[in-house]
Amino acid sequence: MPKDEKKISSRIKYLIKEINYHNEQYHTYDNPKISDKKYDKLYKELKELESSYPEYQNENSPTRRIGDKLLGGFSKITHKFPMLSLSNASNADDFEKFYIKLQENIKQNEIPLFAEPKFDGLAVSIEYHDGKLFSAVTRGDGKIGEDVTSNVKTIKSLPIKISKNLLSKHITLRGEIFMNKRDFNNLNNQLLKVDEKPYANPRNVAAGSIRQLDPKVAAERNLQIFIHGIANTGTGFKEKNHSSLMKEVEKMGFRVCKLNQLTKNYEEACLYYEKIKMERENLPYEIDGIVYKVDDLNFHKILGETAKAPKWSIAYKFQSTEKVTKLNDVTFQVGRTGIITPVAELEAVNIGGVTVSRASLHNMDEIEKKDIRIGDYVYVKRAGDVIPEVDRVLLSKRLPENTKIKMLKKCPACKTNIMKIKGQSFYICSNHNSCFPQVSQSIIHFSSRKAMNIIGLGDSIIEQLLNKKKIENYSDLFSLSYEDILSLERMAEKSAKNIFNSIHKSKDTKFEKFIYALGIKEVGETIARILSENFQTIDYLIKANRDDLENIKDIGPIVSDNILEFFSHKTNVNMVNKLIKNGLKINYIKQKVKNKNQNNSYVITGTFENFTREELKQALLEKGASVSNSISKKTTALIAGKNPGSKYKKALDLNIDIIKSDGLFKLLSEFH
């Protein structure tokens, strides 16, 4: 190698090492050693050298974090270890009950809990193989998530490579991706300058950035990550406590929240909650509560988990933050199903680091109940710390001229007469097929990830397609040509091709997803799944009568009415037929064969040698039985493994049959 080339190669290696060191100091340890200006200078030099001498590029280079665009969208990945949700404690009583239950099950008074702030971000599972970042997957439904590795790699505080001697060959970490308040406000200010719609909250930005098809978007957002756990603690780790495990995680170079604390007992856990609640407003990021985990990892096995959440952990949520501001006016929005919602136009106020200028008033009954008037000073809170709502009026500041709020007589969008729904609090515009907000929102819903999953078809593109008369409703999407999409404003050839391909890929879909995509009022994912399991085809569902629907468990009269109403309109049936004519392929599920066990309901508790609880549950469901999380008089039997817990006692009290491990194989063999 010539001398000059040796110098270049050495310089590139030096810059990579230096920049990675400063990334670690800044993002992991909050301890910057150089100014942003000096850092940018080093980074720029590295990029220029790598561009001029690509043969010396190194896989550890910080410039390699940003990959190419994902042309085919995000692939689905099955989690090796399910990503469970957390049970919630909404008040002090809930948290106390959780602790008492721990005392009863563990049989000791003082139980150390590891306490950490609950971040308002996006949960991810991250795998390292042989010390190298292998994959990053979103939570999804807990079993299957989306592969977002390319975007997660852009997070500077996340190591691409870690020391192998500190961990097992494969390690699965759990973390939360979030955005600092300062970066969030800067982004929104930039959007407002170019007359674009600002984001509602930092969580939306974090989640949206990670789901962008172009990793460069995620890289520009300066996203952060805190690691809060290891999923595969049983392999390669000697630590017996979660607190010790987190120290090892930090040694590996991962960013761990500095506010995390081990609490020795219930009193200390409560003090920690109050302390963080007081500091919350001044933190650089959004949090909405505290997560507590039993520190002893052996107790995790004893306590186990439900189908949805571990029994050894809980999220103790903060009460919603509230501020007082003036209600200047009320506007009315038209929802996807035609419901007219009053919206408070407020003097801008900062609530928990987010600027709020609009808030929900829910409905006219709620307005009358709270006696809200235009000109009032009102308490505004972020419900669930996300959606702002007007909670109550500060009556001491009311002026005589403040005016009562009245419902419009005509739809603000299409001028159709507004009707009140009989027996309910809502007003509705019945012009479902021609009212622009209803049509555009129905297409947004149809295209959404949980429905047909048409990637790249955002709100502004849908509005353009409607305004340019390229489509009239979602049934026209499958008729769109590549040229139709390319003709839209600010549409690049590659983006048009991606959207066109995504539309055609969506033609092959599950029955439950298609039912959900139709946007039938109150037919969410769960009801859509139930319907898909009980009707052989879409034609059977369209022709269903009231008895067909109400004979299905969990389908009540209101949902039945909504389904019957939807398919009674010829336009809706025609839209379904048009989609099928244009290539829609619905994947129907094989209908369950009714058997003698159809009405049997089981509850599972404890641990089993030859099954996980989830595997046992699936075996029972496949045989036509149902599985519940709680014991009742209707329970057929409790299936009890080792360390069965409180459900065992309840089954005895209610005289419910108990099937132990030795009788389990007999039960499964009896199914037909």
Side-chain angles (χ1 to χ4, degrees), residues 127-301:
E127 274 192 52
Y128 284 79
H129 290 189
D130 294 321
K132 292 179 183 178
L133 178 58
F134 177 74
S135 69
V137 184
T138 61
R139 184 196 299 279
D141 63 3
K143 295 177 185 176
I144 299 172
E146 289 183 318
D147 182 356
V148 290
T149 310
S150 294
N151 285 341
V152 171
K153 274 185 177 179
T154 68
I155 301 172
K156 292 175 184 175
S157 61
L158 186 70
I160 300 294
K161 196 174 181 182
I162 55 178
S163 176
K164 285 186 281 187
N165 63 349
L166 288 170
L167 63 153
S168 59
K169 192 173 182 182
H170 291 181
I171 180 173
T172 303
L173 298 156
R174 295 288 156 79
E176 195 84 5
I177 296 170
F178 63 95
M179 190 179 208
N180 281 331
K181 294 175 188 175
R182 183 181 64 184
D183 293 322
F184 171 74
N185 289 329
N186 288 341
L187 175 62
N188 269 352
N189 289 335
Q190 289 168 17
L191 291 172
L192 289 168
K193 282 178 185 176
V194 293
D195 292 326
E196 288 193 23
K197 187 179 176 182
Y199 286 94
N201 54 68
R203 190 200 179 282
N204 285 5
V205 184
S209 302
I210 291 300
R211 292 202 76 257
Q212 289 282 343
L213 293 182
D214 187 352
K216 288 178 184 175
V217 175
E220 290 166 0
R221 297 282 167 82
N222 197 26
L223 299 176
Q224 312 292 325
I225 188 167
F226 278 134
I227 300 299
H228 55 68
I230 297 179
N232 56 332
T233 53
T235 310
F237 292 97
K238 296 176 182 177
E239 286 71 23
K240 295 181 180 179
N241 301 316
H242 182 75
S243 52
S244 303
L245 202 59
M246 294 314 294
K247 286 177 184 175
E248 288 301 311
V249 166
E250 200 164 8
K251 281 181 190 174
M252 292 178 208
F254 293 101
R255 196 174 179 206
V256 173
C257 183
K258 301 294 183 187
L259 296 174
N260 293 355
Q261 183 179 313
L262 180 62
T263 62
K264 294 177 184 175
N265 50 40
Y266 175 74
E267 288 72 23
E268 275 195 19
C270 291
L271 285 171
Y272 177 85
Y273 177 89
E274 294 301 326
K275 173 191 164 191
I276 301 300
K277 187 171 76 171
M278 294 294 288
E279 294 178 15
R280 180 187 184 191
E281 286 277 337
N282 300 318
L283 294 176
Y285 39 71
E286 290 278 359
I287 63 171
D288 56 6
I290 304 296
V291 174
Y292 292 95
K293 299 170 183 173
V294 172
D295 193 45
D296 190 321
L297 296 176
N298 286 324
F299 289 150
H300 289 200
K301 297 171 187 174

Side-chain angles (χ1 to χ4, degrees), residues 421-462:
I421 300 174
K422 189 177 179 182
Q424 296 186 43
S425 311
F426 302 106
Y427 290 80
I428 192 168
C429 167
S430 59
N431 184 19
H432 303 302
N433 298 312
S434 302
C435 180
F436 190 90
Q438 292 186 63
V439 174
S440 63
Q441 287 178 76
S442 70
I443 300 170
I444 291 166
H445 174 81
F446 183 86
S447 310
S448 64
R449 182 168 56 91
K450 293 179 180 179
M452 301 298 284
N453 194 27
I454 302 175
I455 298 166
L457 200 65
D459 302 11
S460 61
I461 292 172
I462 288 168

